[in-house]
């Protein structure tokens, strides 16, 4: 059974878009996942198939109607247990752990907003999670949905070449990844860090770990302090159980 993405949108032509190419595209062609769009406009009202209306309380812009979204939700066929997600800057930030949870399930139902957003009541009434891809405002939820799907699809079994590349990468252990280098060993007067040419695997692993820690501390104080907290807790737990020495995180 393939992993199923069902997308409710006013712009179905935006899918699969870039996900029709490369890794995700091959997986789509190979039936690892499927991408079904459903046009919200089909459920619009009146001669003009209106999906939106002016906001109660006044203010700029338009809001997508609850009844239109609900009719679309009733019309789709999504796998049992697939989470429903509304992409919105008001949502909780999307994290790698969410992506991994979605990828392990049967698929996702994604609702893409436009204009000012969607009537809050249908989100509450139909158990729709609200997820943001970052602290900036896009013109619509479609590009955010593509981001979420890209992150999920590369985790599906058989999509990535080497199984390892999913394990040892940014966020997987709470740190950003160490820097990468390839041939030539000397380029533009810059040499690759010597330890990487040493063949000493323990020294290489230690160097990479240190780099990952430094980069995380410098670029992402939020991830760094969470990582330190976790290390402290692990060390305390190891201490209580009478272990000694290094504990890892
Ligand atoms: N008035 C809204 C922004 C609307 S942007 C607000 O201030 O919160 C129009 C649509 O783009 C949204 O409904 C949402 O579906 C999508 N969108 C915009 N920014 C996004 C983000 N950072 N993450 C996910 N979806 C986003």
């Amino acid at each position: 059974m393939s992993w199923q993405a069902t997308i409710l949108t006013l712009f179905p032509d935006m899918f699969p878009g870039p996900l029709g190419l490369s890794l995700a595209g091959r997986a789509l062609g190979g039936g690892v996942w499927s991408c079904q769009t459903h046009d919200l406009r089909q459920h619009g009202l009146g001669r003009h198939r209106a999906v939106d209306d002016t906001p109660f309380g006044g203010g700029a812009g338009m809001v997508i109607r609850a009844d239109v979204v609900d009719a679309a939700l009733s019309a789709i066929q999504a796998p049992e247990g697939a989470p429903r997600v509304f992409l919105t800057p008001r949502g909780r930030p999307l994290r790698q752990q969410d992506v991994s949870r979605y990828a392990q399930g049967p698929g996702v139902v994604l609702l893409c907003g436009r204009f000012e957003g969607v009537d809050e009541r249908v989100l509450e009434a139909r158990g729709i999670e609200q997820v943001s891809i970052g602290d900036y405002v896009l013109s619509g939820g479609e590009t955010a949905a593509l981001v979420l799907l890209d992150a999920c699809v590369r985790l599906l079994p058989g999509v990535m070449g080497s199984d390892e590349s999913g394990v040892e990468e940014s966020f997987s252990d709470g740190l950003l990844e160490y820097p990468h280098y390839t041939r030539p060993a000397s380029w533009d007067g810059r040499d690759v860090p010597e330890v990487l040419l040493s063949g000493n695997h323990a020294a290489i692993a230690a160097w990479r770990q240190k780099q990952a820690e430094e980069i995380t501390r410098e670029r992402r104080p939020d991830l760094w302090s969470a990582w330190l907290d976790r290390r402290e807790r692990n060390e305390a737990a190891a201490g209580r159980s009478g272990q000694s020495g290094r504990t890892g995180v």
Side-chain angles (χ1 to χ4, degrees):
M1 265 247 312
S2 70
W3 192 85
Q4 189 175 323
T6 309
I7 302 137
L8 308 183
T9 170
L10 285 165
F11 298 94
D13 291 347
M14 289 177 80
F15 298 89
L19 300 183
L21 303 167
S22 188
L23 273 184
R26 262 200 306 280
L28 187 59
V32 176
W33 69 294
S34 70
C35 182
Q36 276 151 31
T37 52
H38 190 87
D39 192 347
L40 285 171
R41 188 68 65 190
Q42 282 181 42
H43 305 282
L45 309 168
R47 203 156 51 87
H48 297 293
R49 297 241 160 245
V51 296
D52 56 336
D53 209 328
T54 54
F56 281 123
M62 301 292 276
V63 177
I64 299 181
R65 295 169 55 113
D67 48 2
V68 169
V69 171
D70 190 39
L73 282 173
S74 304
I76 58 169
Q77 281 193 328
E80 180 94 15
R84 298 168 161 187
V85 177
F86 173 48
L87 283 316
T88 166
R90 298 181 59 242
R92 87 186 134 67
L94 181 67
R95 303 261 181 253
Q96 188 65 19
Q97 66 225 40
D98 304 308
V99 168
S100 147
R101 171 169 57 89
Y102 295 146
Q104 280 162 34
V108 285
V109 176
L110 302 179
L111 172 60
C112 303
R114 282 272 155 179
F115 323 119
E116 291 310 313
V118 170
D119 189 306
E120 191 76 14
R121 291 168 296 180
V122 71
L123 304 175
E124 290 167 7
R126 299 295 177 253
I128 301 174
E129 297 176 32
Q130 301 192 41
V131 169
S132 165
I133 65 155
D135 292 342
Y136 38 79
V137 180
L138 304 167
S139 54
E142 288 78 10
T143 43
L146 289 168
V147 166
L148 186 152
L149 291 176
D150 183 339
C152 290
V153 167
R154 66 190 284 284
L155 295 185
L156 298 176
V159 173
M160 264 190 301
S162 148
D163 284 345
E164 254 180 71
S165 41
V167 179
E168 206 183 285
E169 61 185 0
S170 293
F171 311 117
S172 55
D173 64 352
L175 294 176
L176 302 179
E177 203 181 44
Y178 49 81
H180 300 287
Y181 302 89
T182 186
R183 278 183 279 276
S186 183
W187 171 80
D188 201 23
R190 292 160 182 267
D191 293 337
V192 164
E194 218 173 294
V195 63
L196 298 180
L197 309 175
S198 69
N200 180 339
H201 297 298
I204 291 170
W207 181 85
R208 286 179 165 167
Q209 176 70 19
K210 187 153 170 288
Q211 290 287 314
E213 291 175 16
E214 270 169 24
I215 288 161
T216 307
R217 194 184 57 213
E218 202 179 289
R219 298 182 184 169
R220 293 292 302 273
D222 56 328
L223 294 179
W224 179 241
S225 66
W227 186 83
L228 287 177
D229 286 352
R230 210 160 46 242
R231 183 170 69 175
E232 207 167 285
R233 274 201 308 276
N234 286 346
E235 282 173 357
R240 273 198 305 279
S241 65
Q243 290 174 16
S244 59
R246 291 205 49 209
T247 56
V249 278

